[in-house]
Amino acid sequence: MEKREMLYEGKAKKVFATDDPQLVIVEYKDDATAFNGQKKGTIAGKGVVNNRVTNFLMQMLAAAGIPTHFVQELSDREALVTKVEIIPLEVIIRNISAGSFAKRYGVEEGIVFDEPTIEFSYKNDDLGDPLITEEHALALKLVGPNEIKRIRTMAFQINTILKDFFAGINVELVDFKLEFGRVLNDYIVLADEISPDTCRLWDATTHEKLDKDRFRRDMGGEVEAYNEIMYRIFGEKC
Ligand code: TMP
């Protein structure tokens, strides 16, 4: 597979064309941003952790019947994926109160919900990714009525699978963000990444944060936290 011109550079990843028009290469960077890019930094080795963790989880989900964009891991920082048209929605599932949920409703972090919640943000940097209702996403034609149903179903299925997996490595899956894309014939697949950048992961015993909140909140120890997730999944650090 030949790596060709860069198609897109995001905050944490670059996307390259290949000699196959239906496939692209994603390259994970160590760059970290928060608060819509206002806070910038790097987390050494993050690109490796996020690539390897995402690829592992995508393969696990695929084996459980969730269609994903993942094709093949190419290197420590690169994955071959199906080229998709990203649906401009961030799909957020929460199992435990934290982050913007705790802030918006004035509650503490760590309240375990009886049922997971779902919410959507409109992926639009100029607007700061505002929360959006399903009806507004339909009105704006960001997504179709059948698509949003499918996305909801898939997101909750993904939550069940990931929650069980993380429980097995003594990690609580507090919340996470997913993105979906359309491939040929408007078929919907899971895209983007599932990593400590896009999930809140707490040690199940100590509730220590093992995710990007350490960077967002200037807590320190982010390199160790990302490595700890890598270690619990693969038994090795990067
Ligand atoms: P929030 O509590 O800040 O709304 O975040 C919910 C989850 O979504 C959390 O696991 C972090 C993830 N997330 C992203 O992946 N990208 C983002 O831009 C934001 C705001 C959150």
Side-chain angles (χ1 to χ4, degrees):
M1 184 58 55
E2 194 188 317
K3 192 173 180 181
R4 294 200 176 161
E5 78 278 8
M6 188 168 77
L7 298 174
Y8 172 79
E9 178 161 14
K11 297 187 198 96
K13 299 189 284 296
K14 295 177 183 172
V15 179
F16 294 87
T18 68
D19 45 3
D20 182 334
Q22 288 176 24
L23 297 175
V24 293
I25 293 172
V26 179
E27 186 184 305
Y28 288 75
K29 306 189 284 186
D30 286 350
D31 298 351
T33 66
F35 315 118
N36 202 16
Q38 289 176 65
K39 179 178 164 69
K40 289 192 177 71
T42 54
I43 302 174
K46 172 171 90 79
V48 175
V49 174
N50 288 0
N51 179 45
R52 292 197 53 200
V53 169
T54 295
N55 298 341
F56 174 84
L57 295 175
M58 290 264 181
Q59 287 177 87
M60 190 177 76
L61 292 168
I66 304 287
T68 84
H69 73 163
F70 179 76
V71 177
Q72 192 190 337
E73 186 166 282
L74 297 177
S75 73
D76 264 3
R77 287 180 185 271
E78 294 168 308
L80 185 65
V81 303
T82 307
K83 188 172 186 177
V84 304
E85 180 195 355
I86 285 284
I87 295 169
L89 290 177
E90 299 198 337
V91 181
I92 296 156
I93 298 277
R94 299 179 194 269
N95 296 303
I96 298 176
S97 67
S100 68
F101 181 97
K103 195 168 174 202
R104 177 173 307 112
Y105 302 117
V107 297
E108 76 260 37
E109 298 200 311
I111 302 165
V112 180
F113 303 151
D114 290 340
E115 297 293 335
T117 68
I118 191 166
E119 77 214 38
F120 304 93
S121 293
Y122 176 24
K123 253 175 84 73
N124 184 316
D125 281 341
D126 294 340
L127 300 175
D129 296 347
L131 203 61
I132 188 168
T133 65
E134 274 189 45
E135 286 76 6
H136 290 180
L138 292 171
L140 291 170
K141 298 200 180 339
L142 306 179
V143 70
N146 290 326
E147 288 182 330
I148 196 81
K149 279 193 204 123
R150 180 93 189 98
I151 286 172
R152 284 181 71 101
T153 305
M154 282 170 70
F156 283 119
Q157 287 172 341
I158 291 165
N159 182 48
T160 304
I161 298 162
L162 292 182
K163 218 169 56 154
D164 283 356
F165 170 74
F166 280 111
I169 56 170
N170 205 42
V171 168
E172 288 175 320
L173 178 60
V174 174
D175 56 30
F176 58 97
K177 185 265 297 180
L178 300 172
E179 296 185 24
F180 293 87
R182 299 181 187 98
V183 290
L184 284 180
N185 302 320
D186 288 344
Y187 186 64
I188 291 186
V189 300
L190 177 65
D192 195 50
E193 65 180 286
I194 310 174
S195 72
D197 267 21
T198 62
C199 302
R200 283 196 177 91
L201 303 169
W202 294 353
D203 181 275
T205 310
T206 64
H207 305 294
E208 187 190 355
K209 296 184 197 308
L210 300 173
D211 58 62
K212 194 177 163 189
D213 268 350
R214 301 199 78 90
F215 169 79
R216 294 189 188 100
R217 301 178 187 191
D218 294 319
M219 297 169 72
E222 49 268 41
V223 173
E224 293 77 9
Y226 279 71
N227 270 309
E228 180 62 24
I229 291 299
M230 182 94 160
Y231 182 71
R232 292 197 195 182
I233 296 178
F234 300 108
E236 60 185 78
K237 303 202 177 185
C238 75

